[in-house]
């Protein structure tokens, strides 16, 4: 799914508002909606994937993905499994180790995030700032690197202090 969307992203018209590094941040494997084999009423496989969109995504992210999906795949595979839109998935924002792959603020619905049960996701381990491509002074990766550097410096300082005693 990600590979197809990356090819379609490149195929966006040059004047598309979505053909920017700012929107490209949404093209991450862990942030793709969930897919599963579709089954008919008898439980037999239909040969299609049932895709379950995330319930936490913003209209802006959904519009971007719809625009990308509407593009013709420039390298269409010989065999492509059709995807059928299913009910919205109930899962929250995935916890992702790499900072550069985490959900950005622009991708998350403010209405969804305002619900008390979802406020647990409003932390940097799930959602990071948008970054320079969206006009912010720093990319999230820079902030995390800086915090790690300060943490290491504090640890080294504490270790030196213990040696002196």
């Amino acid at each position: 799914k990600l590979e197809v969307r990356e090819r379609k992203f490149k195929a966006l018209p040059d004047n598309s508002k979505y053909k920017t590094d700012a929107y490209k941040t949404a093209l991450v494997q862990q942030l793709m909606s969930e897919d599963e084999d579709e089954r008919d009423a008898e439980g037999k496989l239909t040969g299609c994937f049932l895709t379950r969109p995330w319930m936490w995504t913003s209209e802006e992210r959904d519009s971007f993905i719809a625009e990308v999906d509407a593009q013709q795949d420039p390298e269409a595979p010989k065999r492509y499994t059709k995807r059928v839109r299913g009910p919205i998935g109930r899962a929250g924002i995935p916890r992702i180790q790499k900072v550069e792959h985490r959900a950005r603020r622009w991708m998350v619905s403010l209405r969804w995030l305002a619900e008390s049960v979802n406020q647990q996701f409003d932390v940097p381990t799930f959602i990071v700032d948008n970054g320079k491509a969206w006009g912010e002074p720093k990319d999230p990766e820079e902030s995390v690197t800086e915090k790690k550097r300060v943490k290491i410096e504090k640890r080294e300082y504490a270790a030196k202090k213990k040696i002196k005693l």
Side-chain angles (χ1 to χ4, degrees):
K1 188 183 229 178
L2 175 63
E3 292 170 1
V4 172
R5 281 189 173 148
E6 286 175 334
R7 290 194 303 265
K8 288 181 171 189
F9 175 81
K10 289 178 186 173
L12 284 169
D14 290 336
N15 63 351
S16 171
K17 85 173 209 175
Y18 296 117
K19 196 168 187 174
T20 66
D21 289 340
Y23 285 98
K24 193 173 183 193
T25 57
L27 298 179
V28 173
Q29 182 65 46
Q30 297 93 323
L31 297 177
M32 296 292 113
S33 59
E34 299 172 339
D35 288 345
E36 60 187 58
D37 290 323
E38 183 185 46
R39 296 180 182 275
D40 62 17
E42 298 170 2
K44 294 180 183 174
L45 295 175
T46 64
C48 296
F49 282 135
L50 186 65
T51 186
R52 298 183 183 279
W54 299 109
M55 74 179 340
W56 54 264
T57 58
S58 67
E59 288 180 22
E60 186 75 14
R61 186 213 177 255
D62 293 343
S63 296
F64 165 66
I65 293 296
E67 182 75 18
V68 169
D69 287 347
Q71 299 304 305
Q72 186 71 32
D73 187 348
E75 299 172 31
K78 292 177 183 166
R79 184 176 178 272
Y80 182 76
T81 305
K82 184 179 175 186
R83 285 180 165 73
V84 178
R85 187 178 174 105
I88 293 177
R90 292 272 175 221
I93 301 172
R95 185 180 203 137
I96 301 172
Q97 187 67 30
K98 287 188 172 184
V99 176
E100 61 270 21
H101 293 166
R102 292 180 190 160
R104 307 287 174 125
R105 290 234 166 253
W106 72 269
M107 298 178 202
V108 182
S109 165
L110 294 177
R111 190 176 309 126
W112 179 86
L113 200 55
E115 294 176 20
S116 60
V117 70
N118 299 326
Q119 289 176 1
Q120 64 181 322
F121 296 103
D122 197 5
V123 292
T125 51
F126 292 100
I127 306 170
V128 293
D129 292 333
N130 294 324
K132 290 178 182 176
W134 287 87
E136 293 180 351
K138 290 183 182 180
D139 281 325
E141 301 85 352
E142 293 174 306
S143 298
V144 169
T145 302
E146 191 174 312
K147 287 177 185 175
K148 284 181 180 178
R149 182 187 55 77
V150 168
K151 191 175 183 179
I152 290 169
E153 286 176 1
K154 284 181 178 180
R155 222 181 284 142
E156 289 172 352
Y157 178 76
K160 286 179 185 177
K161 205 172 179 182
K162 283 184 180 179
I163 292 172
K164 287 182 180 179
L165 294 176

